[in-house]
Amino acid sequence: MYFIITICFLYIIFDFNYFLRSGFTVISSRFYEKRCGLNDTTTIYGFCTTQDIDILVKHMNNARFVREIDFARYHFYDRTGIYDKIKKIGDIPLHVASCNRYRKSIPIFTAYKIESKMVCWEEKTFVMEHKFITLNDGFVRALVLSRQSFQKNNSDIMFKGIPGADHKPECPEEVKHWLRAIEISSAKLRKKD
């Protein structure tokens, strides 16, 4: 009885599903998937449920896409060894920006996968790309770019020894424009402070 009360309490106070899903994503991949490098693509799977839908009760809420890339990032960090480096060196990557491109909605009760890959990295930041692809038709429903920033160390230190770190990819043109827009926005905010 106390166990049930504890679980109910955790669901009320915390978004307990988030923590369960995070743990499940990382732990299950350790048993069933091999390590990969920075230049590889990782894949996780999802299913649009009633907890993911918007007010029209027909498709995934736009905010849910950003939440889903958390799980995809955790998975990528673990499979590449970034998570081990974070624990060893004691740094924290923060999600500092995202650019979402919605092409077509993900209907309720539809299975999808998220393919994640490293796009490029700079001194203290790196950019990942996440593609939401529905399994029934293979259509890329959304593309999310996410920018991460290390708090203490630079990317070269954090990625050192990870397969693929010796081959730094060229930043795509559209990502350069997005990063430039972020710089301009940051400069405007600093002037107001």
Side-chain angles (χ1 to χ4, degrees):
M1 184 64 173
Y2 291 114
F3 178 74
I4 294 171
I5 292 171
T6 302
I7 295 298
C8 290
F9 178 75
L10 290 173
Y11 269 96
I12 292 168
I13 301 300
F14 299 103
D15 186 356
F16 199 60
N17 283 341
Y18 179 84
F19 296 103
L20 282 175
R21 173 98 185 269
S22 298
F24 177 78
T25 299
V26 171
I27 291 168
S28 65
S29 70
R30 288 184 181 181
F31 288 109
Y32 300 110
E33 297 178 40
K34 63 180 182 171
R35 288 281 185 149
C36 62
L38 290 178
N39 299 317
D40 293 324
T41 299
T42 60
T43 304
I44 66 166
Y45 295 87
F47 188 77
C48 182
T49 69
T50 54
Q51 292 185 342
D52 302 320
I53 56 176
D54 70 350
I55 198 163
L56 298 175
V57 192
K58 291 186 176 186
H59 55 79
M60 187 182 284
N61 180 311
N62 290 349
R64 218 46 166 183
F65 286 85
V66 177
R67 179 187 166 112
E68 289 296 308
I69 68 167
D70 270 357
F71 307 122
R73 284 187 299 114
Y74 301 156
H75 180 258
F76 186 87
Y77 292 169
D78 189 64
R79 294 299 77 219
T80 57
I82 294 172
Y83 181 67
D84 292 336
K85 274 294 195 63
I86 290 167
K87 286 192 320 187
K88 183 179 178 183
I89 295 176
D91 207 334
I92 299 171
L94 294 176
H95 178 88
V96 294
S98 63
C99 177
N100 306 349
R101 168 117 166 35
Y102 304 105
R103 299 180 68 219
K104 197 172 184 182
S105 63
I106 296 179
I108 190 169
F109 305 126
T110 301
Y112 59 89
K113 64 182 177 179
I114 304 171
E115 292 182 349
S116 301
K117 69 177 184 176
M118 182 75 69
V119 175
C120 60
W121 63 85
E122 299 169 329
E123 184 182 347
K124 282 190 166 273
T125 64
F126 60 97
V127 177
M128 293 184 66
E129 175 188 88
H130 309 278
K131 288 182 184 176
F132 287 75
I133 304 168
T134 43
L135 299 182
N136 61 339
D137 58 6
F139 190 81
V140 178
R141 301 289 176 137
L143 183 114
V144 179
L145 293 173
S146 67
R147 186 179 192 199
Q148 316 301 307
S149 176
F150 290 114
Q151 293 296 294
K152 302 174 187 173
N153 299 288
N154 68 36
S155 299
D156 291 333
I157 291 171
M158 294 304 292
F159 297 155
K160 186 177 181 180
I162 297 175
D166 55 339
H167 178 68
K168 194 172 184 178
E170 180 68 29
C171 190
E173 191 67 26
E174 70 274 15
V175 175
K176 287 180 186 177
H177 289 293
W178 176 57
L179 293 175
R180 180 71 183 128
I182 292 171
E183 289 173 20
I184 293 167
S185 174
S186 293
K188 285 172 80 174
L189 289 171
R190 279 193 293 272
K191 286 179 183 176
K192 291 181 181 178
D193 291 343

